[in-house]
């Protein structure tokens, strides 16, 4: 797909898709501080926790002008490979959740601190006052006990030709938010095509099911008709293990 169309989809679907799910726009971010301010406080707010021995989760703010890396801070700075990442909505805004492999390269010792670095993408397009590099504080990872567990889906029942009921086990540990994740065809009016898009559907406390409408428009390409569902939970600013998410798919 040409880059122009891809960019239009990214802008249009993040905005319209977020509004359709009752959210703000995923790419919205506060501007980076000027050079003088960047030396006084970190430009990236972030927190970290161990998911297990080798996987660590970093939850950070996002300024879409920058490309980010997560590094282990020790005698030197070692960039960590990303296992999985996604935008997650909680506490009234969007956050990027990134899980990284701290054992990559044969490293056997867990890092005592992590750091997030952002480098300005296409710096030639920005005024010199915009920082070319921004950073977080050094982050001391919290223990794995702070990472919540997502409940498993139990079934997807078809109520009629255009409706399914997604059922899941009760969430454990009193999470702050339980979300049903839904990936389905979404129409981008700006470029006039259907394509897959993921929505976060926050569910009421204690709920164990949600009814969802299937997209059945005749113009949806056969390869894009699949609907998929999985669960995600948020507690104390951390998110359930992204690697453990196993979508269950249905056809309209």
């Amino acid at each position: 797909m040409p880059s122009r169309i891809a960019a239009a989809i990214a802008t249009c679907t993040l905005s319209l898709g977020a509004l359709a799910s009752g959210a703000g726009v995923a790419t919205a971010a506060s501007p980076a501080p000027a050079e003088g301010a960047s030396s006084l406080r970190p430009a990236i707010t972030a927190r970290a926790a161990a998911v297990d021995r080798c996987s660590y989760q970093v939850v950070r703010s996002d300024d879409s002008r920058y490309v980010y890396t997560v590094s282990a801070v020790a005698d030197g700075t070692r960039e960590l490979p990303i296992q999985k990442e996604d935008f997650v909505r909680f506490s009234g805004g969007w956050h990027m959740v990134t899980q990284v492999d701290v054992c990559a390269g044969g490293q056997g010792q867990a890092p005592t601190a992590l750091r997030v670095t952002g480098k300005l993408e296409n710096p030639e397009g920005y005024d010199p006052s915009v920082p070319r590099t921004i950073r977080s504080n050094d982050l001391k990872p919290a223990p794995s006990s702070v990472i919540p567990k997502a409940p498993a889906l139990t079934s997807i029942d078809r109520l009629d030709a255009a409706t399914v009921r997604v059922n899941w086990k009760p969430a454990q540990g009193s999470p702050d938010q339980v979300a049903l994740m839904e990936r389905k065809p979404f129409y981008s009016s700006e470029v006039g095509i259907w394509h897959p898009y993921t929505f976060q559907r926050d569910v009421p406390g204690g709920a164990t099911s949600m009814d969802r409408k299937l997209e059945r428009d005749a113009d949806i390409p056969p390869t894009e008709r699949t609907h998929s569902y999985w669960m995600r939970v948020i507690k104390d600013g951390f998110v359930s293990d992204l690697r453990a998410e196993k979508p269950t798919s249905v056809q309209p």
Side-chain angles (χ1 to χ4, degrees), residues 42-47 59-62 95 135-136 139:
I44 302 171
T45 58
R47 60 175 62 194
V59 182
R60 62 165 171 81
S61 57
D62 185 72
H95 307 262
R135 295 183 177 85
S136 70
L139 311 171

Side-chain angles (χ1 to χ4, degrees), residues 156-165 211-216 250-252:
I156 299 178
D157 304 326
R158 193 173 293 269
L159 302 183
D160 55 44
T163 311
V164 295
R165 176 167 294 163
D211 294 354
R212 300 304 312 149
K213 288 292 183 182
L214 302 175
E215 296 291 347
R216 296 165 57 84
V250 297
Q251 297 298 324

Side-chain angles (χ1 to χ4, degrees), residues 12-26 89 94 186 197 199:
C12 179
T13 59
L14 280 172
S15 300
L16 296 179
L19 290 173
S21 60
V25 179
R89 185 182 74 250
W94 287 92
F186 179 79
Y197 185 80
F199 296 84

Side-chain angles (χ1 to χ4, degrees), residues 3-243:
S3 59
R4 178 179 61 81
I5 295 178
I9 289 175
T11 301
C12 179
T13 59
L14 280 172
S15 300
L16 296 179
L19 290 173
S21 60
V25 179
T27 53
S30 57
E35 289 285 3
S38 64
S39 62
L40 301 177
R41 60 182 177 84
I44 302 171
T45 58
R47 60 175 62 194
V51 181
D52 54 35
R53 190 179 73 84
C54 287
S55 180
Y56 280 48
Q57 184 177 110
V58 176
V59 182
R60 62 165 171 81
S61 57
D62 185 72
D63 183 328
S64 59
R65 300 175 298 178
Y66 292 84
V67 176
Y68 295 86
T69 57
V70 178
S71 301
V73 180
D75 297 334
T77 299
R78 176 170 56 94
E79 185 176 329
L80 302 172
I82 294 174
Q83 296 172 324
K84 195 170 182 182
E85 64 181 359
D86 199 5
F87 279 105
V88 179
R89 185 182 74 250
F90 60 91
S91 300
W94 287 92
H95 307 262
M96 175 59 79
V97 178
T98 302
Q99 289 183 202
V100 294
D101 185 356
V102 301
C103 295
Q107 297 292 326
Q109 186 172 0
T112 57
L114 302 177
R115 182 186 301 146
V116 182
T117 302
K119 292 191 178 297
L120 188 65
E121 191 173 27
N122 303 320
E124 65 281 356
Y126 294 93
D127 185 270
S129 64
V130 177
R132 268 44 188 169
T133 301
I134 56 176
R135 295 183 177 85
S136 70
N137 282 328
D138 289 359
L139 311 171
K140 182 177 180 180
S144 59
S145 57
V146 305
I147 300 295
K149 304 295 184 185
L153 289 185
T154 55
S155 65
I156 299 178
D157 304 326
R158 193 173 293 269
L159 302 183
D160 55 44
T163 311
V164 295
R165 176 167 294 163
V166 184
N167 304 281
W168 58 88
K169 292 182 178 180
Q172 303 297 311
S174 301
D176 299 326
Q177 183 64 61
V178 177
L180 171 66
M181 306 302 295
E182 178 182 44
R183 188 165 179 82
K184 66 176 186 175
F186 179 79
Y187 185 71
S188 296
S189 57
E190 184 173 336
V191 291
I193 62 172
W194 287 89
H195 63 95
Y197 185 80
T198 301
F199 296 84
Q200 176 178 320
R201 310 293 189 184
D202 295 345
V203 300
T208 56
S209 68
M210 181 180 285
D211 294 354
R212 300 304 312 149
K213 288 292 183 182
L214 302 175
E215 296 291 347
R216 296 165 57 84
D217 192 290
D219 291 333
I220 301 174
T223 56
E224 312 292 358
R225 291 184 178 275
T226 301
H227 291 56
S228 298
Y229 302 91
W230 66 96
M231 302 305 296
R232 183 176 285 174
V233 300
I234 299 103
K235 185 173 183 179
D236 296 333
F238 291 104
V239 182
S240 48
D241 187 353
L242 299 182
R243 301 165 308 158

